[in-house]
Amino acid sequence: MARPRALSGIQPTADSFHLGNYLGAVRQWVGMQETHDAFYFIADLHALTVHPSPAEVRRRTRVAAAQLFGAGIDPERSTLFVQSHVREHAELAWMLMCETGMGEAGRMTQYKDKVARLGESAAGVGLFAYPMMMAADILLYQTDQVPVGADQKQHLEITRDLAQRFNSRYGPTFTVPEPYIVKEVEKIADLQDPLAKMSKTSSGPQGLLEVLEEPGPLRKKIMRAVTDTGSEVVADPENKPGVTNLLRIQSVLTGTPVPELEARYAGQGYGTFKKDVAEVVTDTFAPIRERVVKLLADEAELDKLLAIGSARAAAIARETMASARENRGLLPKV
Ligand code: ATP
Ligand code: MG
């Protein structure tokens, strides 16, 4: 039986990924190479919605690619590409925008949150149209499963709605995708604000654990992470969101169930526990950082790997786009 197709993307909106990206997305991507027909991309077009400079876009796109390869994405087993290299993303996004209601798009909570943060004047049409481009990203590849964090649930729902709507209005064109969300890591929290998700663009530096950061600062931030009243190391998402976040991180990175960790730290207070969390996080990131430095030393080679991925991706995108155009009634160019 053919493997299900997985597809997911990450925005080059910062100079490093963070622990939430790593646990909620990239780590799943690496694992899915064994079981899925895997497609991953760097969402440079999406990153334009928050107005980076041209130099930032260029640098961060390469740094993102290096982190993905460095974390274990294997160009032999996965197709890793740059979104803007496959022109069909923008083309299908437009067609899907024409099928989306204003009210429907206006209900997206990520849009509302970003407008609240950036201010009305900085929030452009691109930010509003983001979910329709995300739908295009997914539908172009006839994707079965989309590994993402919990923050993308709503965007996955609108993607499914748009696929079903297009299929029923114009004939079968797209596979309707399913989200693939791993409960324990669906929302890694900001260290300083354990009710908010860790985010490249909205977390402050003290709340973020960056993959490319040195062990010293990482350790310090974990030691200073907001913990909750009391001194017991127990998971309690309602009353102890800070400690619960750290427990989840340590549990996933060491493969130890949370109750076992609770028993291990009983009566020891937060200090020892945080030191151990810092150790597993720094041990996880150090080898990735080393590989990233090597990969970035040869930009030509990195760009070549991305070109191979983009060519493979474009072949599939072209096919889907051809049937979307035909079904929608766009005249073929003769
Ligand atoms: P930005 O602030 O620019 O939106 P981000 O940190 O949200 O950056 P994205 O590039 O938007 O990162 O998302 C990449 C992937 O990482 C998505 O699948 C998203 O769901 C996942 N992700 C992002 N933050 C977290 C988090 N804190 N916990 C778990 N998964 C996350
Ligand atoms: Mg995001």
Side-chain angles (χ1 to χ4, degrees):
M1 211 179 80
R3 292 176 167 199
R5 180 164 294 161
L7 173 129
S8 196
I10 187 159
Q11 301 185 78
T13 35
D15 287 313
S16 174
F17 297 160
H18 55 70
L19 185 65
N21 299 136
Y22 179 72
L23 292 181
V26 179
R27 200 162 170 269
Q28 262 64 258
W29 300 8
V30 173
M32 288 171 104
Q33 298 182 114
E34 308 290 336
T35 48
H36 289 68
D37 178 22
F39 284 72
Y40 305 121
F41 68 96
I42 299 155
D44 57 346
L45 294 175
H46 283 293
L48 302 185
T49 56
V50 293
H51 317 297
S53 73
E56 282 171 335
V57 180
R58 261 191 291 278
R59 183 179 75 239
R60 290 170 174 176
T61 301
R62 288 204 181 96
V63 174
Q67 287 175 94
L68 292 172
F69 290 129
I73 299 298
D74 173 1
E76 305 270 323
R77 289 186 296 160
S78 294
T79 298
L80 174 62
F81 65 100
V82 177
Q83 184 186 28
S84 66
H85 290 180
V86 183
R87 308 285 163 99
E88 284 78 3
H89 287 252
E91 187 181 358
L92 183 58
W94 175 257
M95 285 174 64
L96 295 176
M97 278 184 242
C98 295
E99 305 299 327
T100 311
M102 288 293 284
E104 191 179 21
R107 278 194 294 276
M108 296 293 114
T109 55
Q110 180 173 298
Y111 169 72
K112 289 193 273 191
D113 291 349
K114 289 209 175 174
V115 173
R117 204 155 35 78
L118 295 170
E120 284 287 347
S121 57
V125 175
L127 203 61
F128 188 69
Y130 187 112
M132 286 70 90
M133 177 167 272
M134 178 164 158
D137 301 335
I138 297 166
L139 301 182
L140 271 180
Y141 299 93
Q142 309 294 353
T143 304
D144 298 301
Q145 290 174 9
V146 186
V148 283
D151 61 311
Q152 296 304 319
K153 265 185 204 163
Q154 199 185 25
H155 290 165
L156 250 301
E157 273 160 34
I158 199 174
T159 299
R160 289 170 53 83
D161 289 345
L162 286 169
Q164 278 155 349
R165 189 174 308 161
F166 196 102
N167 288 347
S168 74
R169 284 183 182 164
Y170 311 115
T173 313
F174 303 119
T175 301
V176 180
E178 301 280 344
Y180 180 100
I181 297 175
V182 178
K183 197 85 194 120
E184 299 75 45
V185 288
E186 65 173 14
K187 182 183 167 188
I188 299 299
D190 182 310
L191 296 187
Q192 292 299 317
D193 178 4
L195 295 178
K197 86 165 189 83
M198 197 180 276
S199 147
K200 287 193 239 91
T201 53
S202 64
S203 291
Q206 294 307 313
L208 261 182
L209 296 172
E210 292 188 315
V211 173
L212 299 182
E213 219 166 347
E214 299 282 339
L218 284 171
R219 223 173 273 132
K220 256 194 207 136
K221 288 188 212 179
I222 292 171
M223 296 310 291
R224 288 184 194 149
V226 168
T227 26
D228 316 284
T229 46
S231 60
E232 275 147 81
V233 180
V234 287
D236 177 352
E238 297 253 304
N239 303 308
K240 285 176 164 265
V243 173
T244 307
N245 188 41
L246 294 177
L247 272 170
R248 283 190 187 136
I249 292 168
Q250 200 191 8
S251 165
V252 177
L253 288 178
T254 59
T256 316
V258 168
E260 208 173 297
L261 293 173
E262 290 171 334
R264 184 183 304 167
Y265 295 104
Q268 294 198 46
Y270 294 148
T272 322
F273 166 57
K274 283 176 158 179
K275 244 200 328 242
D276 290 353
V277 175
E279 195 176 307
V280 283
V281 170
T282 51
D283 285 354
T284 304
F285 287 171
I288 301 176
R289 203 176 68 241
E290 267 173 44
R291 289 193 287 269
V292 166
V293 172
K294 282 195 195 125
L295 285 157
L296 287 174
D298 190 351
E299 286 186 353
E301 177 60 25
L302 195 60
D303 291 355
K304 209 166 76 193
L305 289 177
L306 292 172
I308 294 170
S310 296
R312 279 210 297 261
I316 297 170
R318 240 180 264 130
E319 245 177 72
T320 305
M321 201 60 227
S323 70
R325 287 165 148 271
E326 189 186 333
N327 292 350
R328 190 64 190 85
L330 299 175
L331 210 58
K333 195 169 79 180
V334 289

